[in-house]
Amino acid sequence: MKHTLSVLVENKPGVLTRVAGLFARRGFNIDSLVVAETESAAVSRMTITVEEQDQPVEQVTKQLHKLINVLKITDLDPSGSVERELLLIKVKADAESRSAIMQIVEIFRAKIVDVSAEVLIVEMTGTREKVSAFMELLTPFGVVELMRTGRIAMSRGKRAT
Amino acid sequence: MKAAEVILEALKREGVDTIFGFPGGSVIPLYDALYNSDINHILVRHEQGAGHMADGYARASGKVGVCFATSGPGATNLVTAIANAYMDSVPMVAITGQVSRHLIGLDSFQEADVTGITLPIVKHSYLVKDPTTLTRIIREAFHIASTGRPGPVVVDIPVDVTKEDVEFDSAVLPAMRLPGYKPNLKGHPKQIRAAAQVIAAAQRPVIYAGGGVISANASDELRELAVYSQIPVTATLTGKGCFPEDHDLSMGMLGMHGTPYANYAISRSDLVIAVGVRFDDRVTGKLEAFAPEAGFVHIDIDPAEISKNVVVDIPIVGDAKTVLPALLAELKKLDLSFDRRREWTEQVETWKREHPLAVKEAENGDIMPQSAVKKIWEITDGEAVVCTEVGQNQMWAAQHYLCRHPRTFISSGGLGTMGFGFPAAIGAQVARPDALVVDIAGDGSFQMTSQELATAVQYGLPVKVCILNNQYLGMVRQWQELFWDKHYSQTCMECQPDFVKLAEAYGAEGYRVEASTDLEGVLRTAFASDRPAVIDIRVKREANVFPMIPAGGTIHDMMEREL
Ligand SMILES: Cc1ncc(C[n+]2csc(CCOP(=O)(O)OP(=O)(O)O)c2C)c(N)n1
Ligand SMILES: [Mg+2]
């Protein structure tokens, strides 16, 4: 099972290494990792997705808690949270295929952010599944390159994540 | 004030009176400040020694051990000692010099990324970039090292930082900024009540106690609980001394080389009360077969240890020092008579009688290593501070030197570092100047840090190194004998120094004993001397450590004695 951990950390040099290193040492492979400042400049949020394999994720969250710079950890329940990923995809588009691509873009409420003679860059946000579905539909046109940000997630309702 | 002086002032404020260290380019300003300071500095012969001395000092005293090293090779030489302290949860602050700030990251002379290298083996670390943060960081470092589950903290300080002028007011204690650090000390009352219930109901309970009891200074509390509720106690290697080993309820050490009775008791127990332990594989053997009939209460300060290796029924996260008395108070409320457990304590007594840790003397007068340890124990009346090296010597010491007090048995448990015992003994001697400090050593291990003889001599620290000299890397040889067709690959040290001459070369005393009849006399002479001494005890070369449960094995695989 995949877990999305939302980890508040002190915004200090080396904290990312401490956190990432801990996952590696304890035998957890990080699927995706997003780090950025929060509303407070002194605090960063790391959103980490990991696959739970031999050991329960609790093993690593307990170890994470022991890092002095870690302030708070939430193991987000998928149904109780909103999650998003951002995708940038550069896809081949000639006169013939262009309108078909634009149709797909329309359906997924994605956005064309750059146009040139042979390619389009499309921006799209959504859940991991939606992003993957979108990518799959564009693949036949010829993907030059694509970038995904990895997942961010926020718990629903009044309570902060 | 120069930042270097501020560092020393801040250390003094933390109660530091002794530093173990070795100078170099990046710490010259720090050593310059030491020149006129009243802090005692012990100049070692290798930084690993400084780290282990700080470790031994901390374990013997309960205070934070402090060591200094210069940047690059000085700091990397500390790495083993830091890892050792980390594995055994020893409070230690290691202050390392670093190249100047503008040279960091440029592969500068004697630059090593020390905070990076030590990341997996520290409780926390700092690279100090701003001299005004020094006092706060040092305060935080000591706080982190010594509270919660103790551990080593590295403070890496660029040399130019130490040369700056900063303001210092000894009356102003800098505020700590540790929003993410809140060790849980109290223990949940509901859990404590639940534990009391199961303890009261248990028929065959066992207390499995470890180093956490000693770091929590909770030995008295543990003893009261055990004695009140008549529960036999077994301790781990690092827990030795947390419960008096000459007490009727003591079963000695458990695990791979533990006593048969401790292992039998665990395997038949219906309730294991684990205190300050981490269910290490050297203790549990095959996990599924460890205490197969038992429920588990686990008291530990570190929530990450709960259900890490063994899923426990009643976890209590808290400081043993407060949890154990709270638990005892709950038990007293239940007002049960524990007499009905007599059958169990009698069973333990029977096991003790039928399966003692016996030593068979050699017929030809060879010294048995076990008997040598027993002799040391007799002569010192079990009151010495005993350090050990790693290998057979360590296990024989653990089995046959019965300890009465906490902080009197100091051994590298988690990392198993050969070369630890001797510098640790020097550190312990600094902490306990009036105690008799004995390092029960192996010939191989001692050679890893024997240069610290110079340190012991220089500072008049009369540590006694008793080498159980089998001229083998004995523990590895034992495994080769038992499991690898006696292929003694690279475990026979064909060339050894003359340990007597070696000791004398450093200005220490050297003794050699070859016949068991001479042992007592030589030990008495050496122990009575006020100088450091090395006693080269030639023991039966191929003696083995038994009992032994092979790695990953169960009680049914226990080999009780020499085949
Ligand atoms: C630094 C280090 N290197 C290697 C080992 C592996 N090792 C464990 S016990 C041992 C033999 C120790 O020999 P000695 O000190 O003579 O002790 P003995 O077992 O003979 O009593 C070795 C090599 C270790 N524990 N530590
Ligand atoms: Mg040996």
Side-chain angles (χ1 to χ4, degrees):
Chain A
M1 196 183 108
K2 270 206 202 325
H3 283 253
T4 306
L5 304 175
S6 189
V7 184
L8 283 178
V9 299
E10 289 183 80
N11 183 5
K12 284 185 175 168
V15 176
L16 172 61
T17 323
R18 287 180 204 270
V19 171
L22 186 76
F23 277 87
R25 271 199 309 286
R26 298 280 168 181
F28 285 87
N29 194 17
I30 294 180
D31 271 4
S32 85
L33 168 64
V34 182
V35 193
E37 261 181 30
T38 60
E39 60 279 9
S40 150
V43 177
S44 298
R45 183 181 300 279
M46 306 175 76
T47 309
I48 304 165
T49 42
V50 283
E51 183 77 49
E52 182 166 78
Q53 278 160 342
D54 311 338
Q55 310 171 51
V57 162
E58 209 194 12
Q59 291 266 358
V60 80
T61 54
K62 281 173 167 178
Q63 296 293 344
L64 270 182
H65 269 295
K66 288 169 66 173
L67 295 180
I68 308 291
N69 303 122
V70 168
L71 304 172
K72 187 182 170 201
I73 303 166
T74 318
D75 188 349
L76 286 166
D77 164 18
S79 64
S81 56
V82 179
E83 54 157 283
R84 287 294 178 270
E85 226 182 279
L86 170 69
L87 168 80
L88 286 178
I89 185 165
K90 188 181 287 178
V91 61
K92 286 190 190 139
D94 51 26
E96 214 176 303
S97 61
R98 201 163 286 245
S99 65
I101 292 172
M102 281 165 69
Q103 240 174 15
I104 297 169
V105 166
E106 185 89 356
I107 293 166
F108 276 82
R109 280 189 262 161
K111 214 159 63 182
I112 293 169
V113 290
D114 189 65
V115 185
S116 57
E118 286 138 62
V119 296
L120 296 173
I121 299 180
V122 185
E123 168 196 317
M124 191 262 183
T125 61
T127 61
R128 192 188 185 87
E129 291 70 32
K130 192 173 154 195
V131 168
S132 299
F134 182 65
M135 273 165 43
E136 229 167 87
L137 285 175
L138 290 190
T139 305
F141 297 99
V143 174
V144 180
E145 66 177 339
L146 69 82
M147 296 175 195
R148 305 171 73 153
T149 56
R151 181 190 295 184
I152 57 170
M154 186 178 273
S155 60
R156 294 179 190 274
K158 209 168 90 187
R159 276 244 311 271
T161 304
Chain B
M1 204 186 262
K2 284 272 178 281
E5 296 168 71
V6 169
I7 293 169
L8 296 185
E9 288 306 314
L11 291 177
K12 276 202 272 187
R13 193 152 60 189
E14 299 299 329
V16 175
D17 52 24
T18 306
I19 291 162
F20 304 91
F22 199 89
S26 327
V27 286
I28 290 181
L30 207 51
Y31 276 82
D32 191 62
L34 263 177
Y35 193 69
N36 288 317
S37 161
D38 49 7
I39 294 188
N40 186 14
H41 180 273
I42 306 272
L43 176 64
V44 300
R45 297 303 185 267
H46 184 297
E47 289 86 350
Q48 182 187 355
H52 291 327
M53 285 178 209
D55 183 322
Y57 174 90
R59 293 197 215 203
S61 67
K63 291 168 62 177
V64 178
V66 183
C67 53
F68 279 5
T70 192
S71 67
T76 55
N77 271 351
L78 271 185
V79 168
T80 300
I82 295 169
N84 190 77
Y86 182 71
M87 290 295 275
D88 286 348
S89 307
V90 177
M92 176 162 127
V93 171
I95 296 186
T96 51
Q98 183 53 277
V99 300
S100 287
R101 283 167 288 183
H102 67 278
L103 293 174
I104 291 180
L106 304 176
D107 308 312
S108 307
F109 177 64
Q110 292 197 327
E111 179 185 5
D113 173 7
V114 173
T115 47
I117 289 169
T118 57
L119 207 64
I121 52 168
V122 294
K123 186 166 172 189
H124 195 51
S125 54
Y126 294 90
L127 170 58
V128 184
K129 293 254 180 90
D130 173 0
T132 64
T133 60
L134 265 172
T135 50
R136 172 178 59 81
I137 285 175
I138 287 177
R139 182 164 181 227
E140 289 178 2
F142 277 78
H143 179 67
I144 291 168
S146 60
T147 55
R149 178 177 182 170
V153 177
V154 167
V155 183
D156 195 29
I157 313 178
V159 58
D160 59 327
V161 168
T162 62
K163 288 192 261 187
E164 286 203 16
D165 279 308
V166 282
E167 279 182 36
F168 180 74
D169 181 348
S170 61
V172 181
L173 205 55
M176 292 193 284
R177 272 185 242 144
L178 298 171
Y181 182 65
K182 298 180 207 80
N184 187 359
L185 303 176
K186 272 265 294 152
H188 201 290
K190 210 179 94 200
Q191 296 291 89
I192 294 175
R193 272 198 301 280
Q197 298 284 354
V198 295
I199 292 172
Q203 303 287 331
R204 302 183 304 281
V206 170
I207 292 175
Y208 151 40
V213 176
I214 295 176
S215 33
N217 294 315
S219 302
D220 291 345
E221 290 77 2
L222 180 79
R223 193 175 58 241
E224 278 167 37
L225 180 80
V227 171
Y228 174 78
S229 37
Q230 287 297 298
I231 303 177
V233 180
T234 176
T236 64
L237 181 72
T238 44
K240 249 180 91 76
C242 75
F243 186 80
E245 290 189 287
D246 50 4
H247 195 287
D248 282 346
L249 286 170
S250 171
M251 301 187 292
M253 186 171 77
L254 78 167
M256 179 179 278
H257 292 296
T259 65
Y261 30 98
N263 288 327
Y264 284 134
I266 283 276
S267 68
R268 288 285 293 120
S269 164
D270 67 347
L271 179 70
V272 171
I273 303 144
V275 193
V277 295
R278 55 187 178 83
F279 296 85
D280 181 71
D281 55 274
R282 284 292 184 269
V283 162
T284 62
K286 189 177 176 195
L287 271 177
E288 305 80 67
F290 180 69
E293 301 167 21
F296 290 92
V297 172
H298 188 187
I299 302 168
D300 205 281
I301 189 100
D302 182 359
E305 287 303 339
I306 304 289
S307 296
K308 184 179 80 177
N309 294 339
V310 168
V311 177
V312 300
D313 306 288
I314 305 181
I316 305 175
V317 176
D319 185 347
K321 183 93 183 161
T322 58
V323 172
L324 291 172
L327 186 53
L328 180 58
E330 286 298 329
L331 275 170
K332 285 184 174 165
K333 277 190 216 159
L334 297 175
D335 198 27
L336 287 169
S337 146
F338 294 107
D339 264 5
R340 64 201 165 75
R341 281 203 198 128
R342 189 151 315 139
E343 213 179 302
W344 175 236
T345 39
E346 272 165 14
Q347 170 67 70
V348 170
E349 281 307 317
T350 309
W351 280 325
K352 281 192 191 179
R353 236 183 0 261
E354 288 174 359
H355 304 270
L357 285 179
V359 185
K360 201 162 143 258
E361 293 304 332
E363 276 145 25
N364 61 358
D366 275 359
I367 301 174
M368 294 305 290
Q370 298 92 330
S371 314
V373 174
K374 274 197 163 159
K375 193 54 91 187
I376 297 168
W377 174 68
E378 267 169 41
I379 292 177
T380 58
D381 190 27
E383 292 286 331
V385 175
V386 172
C387 300
T388 80
E389 299 296 343
V390 168
Q392 294 181 312
N393 60 87
Q394 177 183 37
M395 291 300 118
W396 286 320
Q399 291 177 338
H400 298 284
Y401 197 100
L402 304 189
C403 295
R404 268 186 215 112
H405 314 288
R407 305 196 179 282
T408 61
F409 190 88
I410 295 172
S411 191
S412 169
L415 199 64
T417 313
M418 289 172 67
F420 167 78
F422 179 44
I426 294 176
Q429 185 79 74
V430 172
R432 300 266 318 268
D434 299 326
L436 175 61
V437 180
V438 177
D439 176 32
I440 294 182
D443 46 299
S445 299
F446 181 58
Q447 288 183 65
M448 288 208 167
T449 49
S450 60
Q451 73 281 358
E452 301 305 337
L453 274 169
T455 311
V457 170
Q458 178 174 345
Y459 296 94
L461 298 163
V463 169
K464 314 299 173 191
V465 182
C466 298
I467 305 176
L468 304 179
N469 189 350
N470 50 14
Q471 296 167 65
Y472 274 122
L473 299 173
M475 186 56 94
V476 181
R477 188 208 56 75
Q478 174 170 344
W479 284 49
Q480 290 169 332
E481 177 185 335
L482 297 175
F483 313 117
W484 297 90
D485 295 331
K486 300 198 179 184
H487 292 169
Y488 294 162
S489 176
Q490 306 299 317
T491 43
C492 177
M493 290 205 156
E494 281 163 28
C495 174
Q496 283 192 330
D498 178 328
F499 288 110
V500 176
K501 284 191 186 153
L502 181 75
E504 287 168 356
Y506 281 108
E509 292 175 5
Y511 302 87
R512 179 167 299 117
V513 197
E514 277 158 327
S516 50
T517 42
D518 298 337
L519 185 58
E520 175 156 353
V522 172
L523 287 176
R524 283 195 190 279
T525 311
F527 290 178
S529 157
D530 56 3
R531 288 165 61 205
V534 176
I535 305 119
D536 178 12
I537 307 172
R538 296 303 176 96
V539 296
K540 182 165 185 284
R541 288 196 68 198
E542 298 191 0
N544 285 329
V545 183
F546 289 110
M548 177 177 195
I549 300 175
T554 75
I555 185 83
H556 306 294
D557 307 317
M558 181 167 71
M559 299 178 255
E560 215 172 315
R561 55 183 60 85
E562 207 83 45
L563 301 170

Short mmCIF file of all heavy atoms in Angstrom, two decimals, chain B residues 321-348:
data_model
loop_
_atom_site.label_atom_id
_atom_site.label_comp_id
_atom_site.label_asym_id
_atom_site.label_seq_id
_atom_site.Cartn_x
_atom_site.Cartn_y
_atom_site.Cartn_z
N LYS B 321 12.81 5.59 35.29
CA LYS B 321 12.93 6.17 36.63
C LYS B 321 11.58 6.58 37.20
O LYS B 321 11.38 6.53 38.42
CB LYS B 321 13.84 7.39 36.53
CG LYS B 321 14.14 8.08 37.84
CD LYS B 321 15.41 7.54 38.45
CE LYS B 321 15.70 8.15 39.80
NZ LYS B 321 16.65 7.31 40.54
N THR B 322 10.65 6.99 36.36
CA THR B 322 9.33 7.36 36.87
C THR B 322 8.30 6.25 36.64
O THR B 322 7.38 6.08 37.42
CB THR B 322 8.81 8.66 36.22
OG1 THR B 322 8.78 8.46 34.80
CG2 THR B 322 9.71 9.83 36.53
N VAL B 323 8.47 5.50 35.55
CA VAL B 323 7.49 4.47 35.24
C VAL B 323 7.55 3.32 36.25
O VAL B 323 6.51 2.84 36.71
CB VAL B 323 7.68 3.94 33.80
CG1 VAL B 323 6.79 2.74 33.56
CG2 VAL B 323 7.40 5.03 32.78
N LEU B 324 8.75 2.89 36.61
CA LEU B 324 8.85 1.73 37.51
C LEU B 324 8.21 1.99 38.87
O LEU B 324 7.45 1.14 39.35
CB LEU B 324 10.32 1.28 37.64
CG LEU B 324 10.92 0.66 36.38
CD1 LEU B 324 12.42 0.42 36.54
CD2 LEU B 324 10.23 -0.64 36.01
N PRO B 325 8.47 3.13 39.52
CA PRO B 325 7.77 3.38 40.79
C PRO B 325 6.26 3.49 40.62
O PRO B 325 5.50 3.02 41.48
CB PRO B 325 8.35 4.72 41.27
CG PRO B 325 9.57 4.95 40.47
CD PRO B 325 9.45 4.18 39.22
N ALA B 326 5.83 4.07 39.51
CA ALA B 326 4.39 4.18 39.28
C ALA B 326 3.78 2.78 39.14
O ALA B 326 2.70 2.50 39.66
CB ALA B 326 4.12 5.01 38.02
N LEU B 327 4.52 1.92 38.46
CA LEU B 327 4.05 0.55 38.29
C LEU B 327 4.00 -0.18 39.63
O LEU B 327 3.03 -0.88 39.95
CB LEU B 327 5.01 -0.16 37.32
CG LEU B 327 4.68 -1.56 36.86
CD1 LEU B 327 3.28 -1.64 36.28
CD2 LEU B 327 5.70 -2.03 35.82
N LEU B 328 5.01 0.03 40.43
CA LEU B 328 5.05 -0.61 41.75
C LEU B 328 3.88 -0.12 42.61
O LEU B 328 3.21 -0.92 43.28
CB LEU B 328 6.39 -0.30 42.44
CG LEU B 328 6.60 -0.89 43.82
CD1 LEU B 328 6.47 -2.41 43.80
CD2 LEU B 328 7.96 -0.48 44.39
N ALA B 329 3.61 1.17 42.54
CA ALA B 329 2.49 1.72 43.31
C ALA B 329 1.18 1.07 42.88
O ALA B 329 0.34 0.73 43.73
CB ALA B 329 2.43 3.24 43.13
N GLU B 330 1.01 0.86 41.59
CA GLU B 330 -0.21 0.22 41.09
C GLU B 330 -0.28 -1.23 41.60
O GLU B 330 -1.35 -1.71 41.98
CB GLU B 330 -0.25 0.23 39.56
CG GLU B 330 -0.56 1.59 38.95
CD GLU B 330 -1.93 2.12 39.36
OE1 GLU B 330 -2.86 1.30 39.59
OE2 GLU B 330 -2.07 3.36 39.46
N LEU B 331 0.86 -1.90 41.58
CA LEU B 331 0.88 -3.30 42.03
C LEU B 331 0.49 -3.38 43.51
O LEU B 331 -0.23 -4.29 43.93
CB LEU B 331 2.28 -3.88 41.84
CG LEU B 331 2.59 -4.45 40.46
CD1 LEU B 331 4.07 -4.76 40.33
CD2 LEU B 331 1.76 -5.70 40.20
N LYS B 332 0.99 -2.41 44.27
CA LYS B 332 0.70 -2.44 45.71
C LYS B 332 -0.78 -2.24 45.97
O LYS B 332 -1.34 -2.80 46.91
CB LYS B 332 1.53 -1.38 46.43
CG LYS B 332 2.99 -1.83 46.55
CD LYS B 332 3.85 -0.87 47.34
CE LYS B 332 5.23 -1.47 47.54
NZ LYS B 332 6.22 -0.47 47.99
N LYS B 333 -1.41 -1.44 45.09
CA LYS B 333 -2.86 -1.24 45.25
C LYS B 333 -3.60 -2.55 45.07
O LYS B 333 -4.64 -2.78 45.67
CB LYS B 333 -3.36 -0.26 44.18
CG LYS B 333 -3.17 1.20 44.56
CD LYS B 333 -3.91 2.07 43.55
CE LYS B 333 -3.14 3.33 43.30
NZ LYS B 333 -3.52 3.97 42.03
N LEU B 334 -3.07 -3.40 44.19
CA LEU B 334 -3.76 -4.66 43.92
C LEU B 334 -3.63 -5.60 45.11
O LEU B 334 -4.42 -6.52 45.26
CB LEU B 334 -3.20 -5.33 42.67
CG LEU B 334 -3.39 -4.51 41.39
CD1 LEU B 334 -2.70 -5.18 40.23
CD2 LEU B 334 -4.88 -4.34 41.11
N ASP B 335 -2.64 -5.36 45.94
CA ASP B 335 -2.53 -6.06 47.20
C ASP B 335 -2.66 -7.57 47.05
O ASP B 335 -3.47 -8.22 47.68
CB ASP B 335 -3.62 -5.52 48.16
CG ASP B 335 -3.27 -5.91 49.59
OD1 ASP B 335 -2.06 -6.07 49.85
OD2 ASP B 335 -4.20 -6.04 50.40
N LEU B 336 -1.87 -8.11 46.13
CA LEU B 336 -1.91 -9.55 45.92
C LEU B 336 -0.76 -10.21 46.63
O LEU B 336 0.29 -9.60 46.83
CB LEU B 336 -1.80 -9.85 44.43
CG LEU B 336 -3.03 -9.51 43.61
CD1 LEU B 336 -2.70 -9.59 42.14
CD2 LEU B 336 -4.16 -10.47 43.96
N SER B 337 -0.94 -11.42 46.99
CA SER B 337 0.18 -12.16 47.54
C SER B 337 0.89 -12.85 46.38
O SER B 337 0.26 -13.50 45.55
CB SER B 337 -0.32 -13.19 48.54
OG SER B 337 0.51 -14.31 48.47
N PHE B 338 2.19 -12.66 46.33
CA PHE B 338 2.92 -13.26 45.21
C PHE B 338 3.46 -14.64 45.57
O PHE B 338 4.23 -15.22 44.83
CB PHE B 338 4.03 -12.33 44.75
CG PHE B 338 3.50 -11.06 44.17
CD1 PHE B 338 3.60 -9.86 44.85
CD2 PHE B 338 2.88 -11.07 42.93
CE1 PHE B 338 3.09 -8.70 44.31
CE2 PHE B 338 2.37 -9.91 42.38
CZ PHE B 338 2.47 -8.71 43.08
N ASP B 339 3.03 -15.13 46.71
CA ASP B 339 3.51 -16.42 47.17
C ASP B 339 3.21 -17.54 46.20
O ASP B 339 3.99 -18.47 46.04
CB ASP B 339 2.85 -16.76 48.52
CG ASP B 339 3.76 -16.36 49.66
OD1 ASP B 339 4.81 -15.75 49.35
OD2 ASP B 339 3.42 -16.65 50.82
N ARG B 340 2.08 -17.39 45.53
CA ARG B 340 1.68 -18.47 44.62
C ARG B 340 2.67 -18.62 43.47
O ARG B 340 2.59 -19.55 42.69
CB ARG B 340 0.28 -18.19 44.08
CG ARG B 340 0.22 -16.95 43.27
CD ARG B 340 -1.17 -16.38 43.13
NE ARG B 340 -1.05 -15.03 42.65
CZ ARG B 340 -0.76 -14.74 41.40
NH1 ARG B 340 -0.60 -15.69 40.51
NH2 ARG B 340 -0.62 -13.48 41.03
N ARG B 341 3.60 -17.66 43.37
CA ARG B 341 4.60 -17.80 42.32
C ARG B 341 5.79 -18.63 42.78
O ARG B 341 6.75 -18.76 42.06
CB ARG B 341 5.11 -16.43 41.91
CG ARG B 341 4.16 -15.75 41.01
CD ARG B 341 4.88 -14.72 40.21
NE ARG B 341 3.87 -13.83 39.69
CZ ARG B 341 3.91 -12.54 39.83
NH1 ARG B 341 4.93 -11.98 40.42
NH2 ARG B 341 2.95 -11.81 39.34
N ARG B 342 5.70 -19.12 44.01
CA ARG B 342 6.86 -19.81 44.53
C ARG B 342 7.29 -20.95 43.61
O ARG B 342 8.46 -21.18 43.41
CB ARG B 342 6.56 -20.34 45.94
CG ARG B 342 7.83 -20.88 46.58
CD ARG B 342 7.87 -20.79 48.08
NE ARG B 342 7.45 -19.53 48.63
CZ ARG B 342 6.69 -19.43 49.71
NH1 ARG B 342 6.24 -20.51 50.30
NH2 ARG B 342 6.39 -18.25 50.19
N GLU B 343 6.31 -21.60 43.01
CA GLU B 343 6.61 -22.71 42.11
C GLU B 343 7.56 -22.26 41.00
O GLU B 343 8.50 -22.96 40.64
CB GLU B 343 5.29 -23.18 41.50
CG GLU B 343 5.25 -24.66 41.22
CD GLU B 343 3.89 -25.03 40.64
OE1 GLU B 343 2.86 -24.75 41.33
OE2 GLU B 343 3.85 -25.54 39.52
N TRP B 344 7.29 -21.08 40.48
CA TRP B 344 8.10 -20.53 39.38
C TRP B 344 9.51 -20.18 39.86
O TRP B 344 10.49 -20.58 39.24
CB TRP B 344 7.38 -19.32 38.79
CG TRP B 344 8.13 -18.55 37.71
CD1 TRP B 344 8.43 -17.23 37.72
CD2 TRP B 344 8.64 -19.04 36.46
NE1 TRP B 344 9.08 -16.86 36.58
CE2 TRP B 344 9.23 -17.96 35.78
CE3 TRP B 344 8.67 -20.31 35.85
CZ2 TRP B 344 9.83 -18.08 34.53
CZ3 TRP B 344 9.27 -20.42 34.60
CH2 TRP B 344 9.83 -19.32 33.96
N THR B 345 9.60 -19.46 40.97
CA THR B 345 10.94 -19.11 41.45
C THR B 345 11.71 -20.36 41.85
O THR B 345 12.92 -20.44 41.66
CB THR B 345 10.87 -18.11 42.64
OG1 THR B 345 9.79 -18.47 43.47
CG2 THR B 345 10.69 -16.70 42.17
N GLU B 346 11.00 -21.37 42.32
CA GLU B 346 11.69 -22.63 42.63
C GLU B 346 12.18 -23.32 41.37
O GLU B 346 13.28 -23.88 41.34
CB GLU B 346 10.76 -23.57 43.43
CG GLU B 346 10.88 -23.31 44.92
CD GLU B 346 9.75 -23.94 45.72
OE1 GLU B 346 9.03 -24.81 45.16
OE2 GLU B 346 9.57 -23.56 46.89
N GLN B 347 11.36 -23.25 40.34
CA GLN B 347 11.78 -23.82 39.05
C GLN B 347 13.08 -23.14 38.57
O GLN B 347 14.01 -23.79 38.12
CB GLN B 347 10.66 -23.62 38.02
CG GLN B 347 11.05 -23.96 36.60
CD GLN B 347 11.32 -25.44 36.40
OE1 GLN B 347 10.42 -26.27 36.44
NE2 GLN B 347 12.60 -25.79 36.25
N VAL B 348 13.10 -21.81 38.71
CA VAL B 348 14.30 -21.08 38.30
C VAL B 348 15.49 -21.52 39.14
O VAL B 348 16.59 -21.77 38.61
CB VAL B 348 14.07 -19.55 38.42
CG1 VAL B 348 15.37 -18.79 38.23
CG2 VAL B 348 13.03 -19.09 37.40
#
